[in-house]
Structure formats: structure tokens, C-alpha cells
Amino acid sequence: MRILLTGGAGYIGTHVAVELCTLGHDVILVDDLSNSCWAAVARVESIVGRSVRFFHTDLRDSNLLADIFSAEQPDAVMHFAGLKAVGESVAHPLRYYDVNINATLSLLQVMGAAGVRKLIFSSSATVYGEPEALPLTEENRVGQGISNPYGWTKLFIEQILRDLAHSQREWEISVLRYFNPVGAHESGLIGEDPAGIPNNLMPFVAQVAAGRRTHVNVYGNDYDTEDGTGVRDYIHVMDLARGHVAALNHLVPGVSTYNLGTGRGTSVFGLIRAFEQACGQTIPVEVTPRRPGDVAATYCSPAKAAEELNWTAGLTIEDACRDSWRWQSNNPGGYPK
Ligand code: NAD
Ligand code: WQD
């Protein structure tokens, strides 16, 4: 198939692109490079051993996007593009609503006009807000306790997709709610390359191990969890990539929603211990107050994806730390800029 990946130069997009190419699909990457770079696309090409179609475009430019669709004739779209920094979304809500919502509306309009109605959307565990129950199933309540505009954009887009599929029965949409994506491709050539100070735990730990930062701030050790630190469901990005392939292979009319996670929780201290094993160093830590908006624990039930998509996450937190460390130690400053 020919699959168009919006945000295809980003962290998850590059890994999915590699997986799709490896399986013999053609990919078309569209990205405005607002949070990524050309070098990431070049690295994808070097892993898969062939050139990849790439368009440097903002999705909100619907005329340009329509030209790309008419020239490239994709069969399906995976929609990764968007802004994703939680704290930044609190400071700049209108920017988040503009980019995430308007880019999606532009994409859906262009897809509809081009007759492309197969879509996989990157949603997030963040839509569950304060978890109603653990493990989280797709039937659990969403929206209650979402603490930032980023999370609302994901929930609003899910609703837009349901309304669209309700109005036009030809749409086949899979909404994938990622838990905490971590790790890197085993080549060490692509990985997560956050701009500035990482917001997320794993890239922060990796940068401490690489000597770019002195210590990890552990945001609270007084939660009601096994060791007092926050518990999350960390999913290896290559498992996530295979989840997208499974979703593509099982698209059906309407909107289907799946959790993509391991079903296992790991604490902050647990992740740091696993990273120490992977890099062979001690990671200095400092316990600080809780980060506003954080929940104590969240992890999913991946049973629906296992049953309907025949997909489960096979890699462990140890695998993710090993691969993340390979990427970080081979590329201490991230991609060549
Ligand atoms: P990323 O920032 O690495 O990738 C997103 C890409 O979209 C970037 O390359 C960026 O340049 C591009 N982009 C942004 N606005 C654009 C626009 N208007 N037009 C074209 N391209 C644009 O992020 P990621 O971690 O790869 O995340 C991919 C998707 O998965 C996002 O939608 C994100 O919200 C979602 N998600 C990520 C996580 C996570 O922890 N990484 C968790 C859950 C969901
Ligand atoms: C994990 C744990 C922190 C950094 C976020 C988004 C979510 C999704 C994934 C996009 C928590 C603790 C963190 C640090 C720490 N993204 N921590 N020190 O908050 O679960 O999820 O990314 O959709 O929407 O909210 O991930 O990696 O930031 O935090 O102690 O320097 O690590 O408190 O317990 P989070 P995270």
C-alpha cells in the first residue's frame, strides 16, 4: 500500500515509516519540521536502504496538501502531526488548538475530496484524564480531569472523527490511544530528539546518562504506588509501530478505538533502575515536589487490541532502555543539526 504519514519526520512517525518500508509498503512523509529535521528523514532512508518521498509542508496549507494527494495518490493516512508538549499547551492554548485541530480539519477535508477514507489517528492515554479504574479499557470514562489543552485537542479530534464517520459511512478510522512511547529503533540511527529540556522521563534519563544533564528530578515520592513514584505504561516505539501496521490491516467502517500499551506499570524509580542496567552507570536523582497535573498511576488493558488486531507489545522496559541508550550514546546531541 501507499501510506501517507503526517508528522512523518517526528519521533513516532520515523519509526512507523521504517516498519512500513520494511514490510514493503511505500510511504509518503509530510512534515513542517517544526519539531523535527531533515536528518531524521535521511536516517529513515539509510535504515530502509531506499529513498522516501518527503514533503516539507504545514498540513494547514490545504491547497498544497491537496496537490500532494493528487500527485501521490495514497491509499491510507497515518496522522501523527501535531504539537505535543503538555506544559507548553497550558502556556499557549490557542497555538495548540490552531495546530492540532486545524491541521486535522485540513487533512480530513483534503482526504475526503481525494477519496481517501482510511485513517489511523495518534490519540493518547491523556484522554482518560484522572483514571476511572485501572487497568484502563477503551470503555472507561474520558475527559474527566484532563489538565491541559493538549489533552483536550486529542479528545476533540476523536469526537470530530466519530462525527465524520457517522455522517459518511465510507470512512474507516482507527483511533490509537498511546500510553507512554519510549525506546528507539534497534539500529540506533533514529530515536527521540526533544528540542530543549525534555518534558518526558525517558529522554531526560538518557540525557543524564549521556552527561548532558546532572541529575533526574523525580516528581514526587509520596504517591500511593509501590515505591511512592508515578507509575506509567511504557511501550517500546517499535511495538507501537507494529500496532499501527496491525490497525492498518484491520480497518473497518466507522471508528474503532484501541489502547496501545503493555498492560504493565513501571514506576519512575523502576525505569531509572532499568536504565542504569542498560547504560552501566548510576543515574543521580533528586526528589522534588509533584508535577502539577500528574496522576499517581496509569496503565492500560491492551486486551481489545490483542483480540481484534491480533497485536500485543512484545518488548520490555529493559529492551526500551537498551535501545534508547544506544540511540542516545551514538547521538549524544540528537540528530546532526
Ligand atoms: P513529534 O513532535 O516527534 O512528531 C510530530 C511531528 O509533527 C513533528 O515532526 C512536527 O514537526 C510535525 N508537525 C507539527 N505540526 C505540524 C503541521 N502543522 N504540519 C505538518 N507537520 C507538523 O511527536 P511524536 O512523539 O512523534 O508524536 C506523534 C503523535 O503521537 C502526536 O500527535 C502526539 O500527540 C501523539 N502522541 C505522542 C506521545 C508521546 O509521548 N510521544 C504519546 C501519545 C500520543
Ligand atoms: C512519566 C512519569 C512523571 C519527568 C506524557 C503526557 C501524555 C503522553 C505521554 C502525549 C511521571 C515522572 C517525568 C521527569 C519525573 N504524551 N517524571 N521526572 O506525564 O505520563 O505522559 O507523555 O500524548 O499526554 O502527559 O509522561 O514521561 O512526562 O512522565 O519524575 O523529569 O515520570 O511525574 O510519573 P506522562 P512523562
Side-chain angles (χ1 to χ4, degrees), residues 27-332:
V27 298
I28 302 138
L29 310 185
V30 177
D31 201 301
D32 69 355
L33 302 182
S34 54
N35 195 38
S36 52
C37 59
W38 293 97
V41 180
R43 292 283 182 88
V44 169
E45 292 178 323
S46 82
I47 295 171
V48 303
R50 60 186 158 106
S51 65
V52 159
R53 309 284 292 149
F54 175 69
F55 293 90
H56 184 191
T57 308
D58 187 321
L59 284 191
R60 290 168 296 175
D61 186 337
S62 40
N63 291 332
L64 261 177
L65 194 59
D67 290 345
I68 295 169
F69 270 76
S70 85
E72 299 296 327
Q73 308 259 314
D75 302 303
V77 172
M78 295 189 182
H79 180 32
F80 302 100
L83 302 178
K84 64 161 183 177
V86 168
E88 191 183 63
S89 79
V90 176
H92 302 286
L94 297 185
R95 186 152 112 223
Y96 270 66
Y97 286 116
D98 178 23
V99 174
N100 290 4
I101 306 282
N102 286 331
T104 303
L105 292 176
S106 168
L107 174 70
L108 295 172
Q109 278 153 0
V110 169
M111 286 179 68
V116 181
R117 296 198 179 82
K118 293 180 192 295
L119 176 70
I120 292 174
F121 172 62
S122 302
S123 190
S124 169
T126 200
V127 300
Y128 293 112
E130 183 68 41
E132 179 185 23
L134 291 175
L136 282 160
T137 73
E138 294 81 353
E139 302 310 315
N140 279 125
R141 175 190 72 199
V142 292
Q144 182 93 29
I146 293 180
S147 59
N148 58 84
Y150 165 74
W152 285 112
T153 67
K154 292 293 173 191
L155 195 58
F156 292 157
I157 293 168
E158 288 196 3
Q159 186 60 41
I160 290 167
L161 296 175
R162 278 191 291 274
D163 290 341
L164 178 63
H166 183 70
S167 73
Q168 295 174 12
R169 302 301 167 132
E170 304 88 342
W171 285 86
E172 300 180 0
I173 300 175
S174 195
V175 166
L176 303 181
R177 293 179 178 157
Y178 311 159
F179 277 65
N180 289 61
V182 289
H185 187 259
E186 61 180 10
S187 64
L189 286 170
I190 55 172
E192 191 170 7
D193 182 20
I197 302 170
N199 298 307
N200 295 117
L201 180 62
M202 176 80 89
F204 201 104
V205 171
Q207 291 194 6
V208 171
R212 279 176 73 177
R213 308 194 182 274
T214 54
H215 65 276
V216 179
N217 291 308
V218 174
Y219 297 145
N221 64 353
D222 57 352
Y223 284 108
D224 183 17
T225 60
E226 66 210 41
D227 60 19
T229 67
V231 166
R232 298 290 183 274
D233 186 340
Y234 296 97
I235 172 170
H236 194 296
V237 66
M238 291 312 298
D239 274 332
L240 196 64
R242 288 184 272 275
H244 286 70
V245 175
L248 181 70
N249 291 337
H250 291 84
L251 280 172
V252 290
V255 176
S256 311
T257 303
Y258 299 101
N259 288 335
L260 293 188
T262 64
R264 288 183 298 276
T266 301
S267 72
V268 175
F269 285 146
L271 183 147
I272 292 172
R273 268 197 311 276
F275 209 98
E276 288 179 330
Q277 288 288 319
C279 71
Q281 303 170 39
T282 301
I283 308 280
V285 301
E286 205 168 284
V287 176
T288 69
R290 295 178 178 189
R291 182 172 63 179
D294 274 353
V295 298
T298 180
Y299 50 91
C300 76
S301 163
K304 186 178 174 199
E307 203 171 299
E308 295 184 13
L309 304 180
N310 196 23
W311 169 89
T312 51
L315 298 169
T316 61
I317 190 75
E318 287 76 21
D319 297 321
C321 290
R322 179 200 62 219
D323 294 334
S324 169
W325 177 235
R326 188 182 298 113
W327 153 251
Q328 186 70 54
S329 51
N330 288 352
N331 306 272

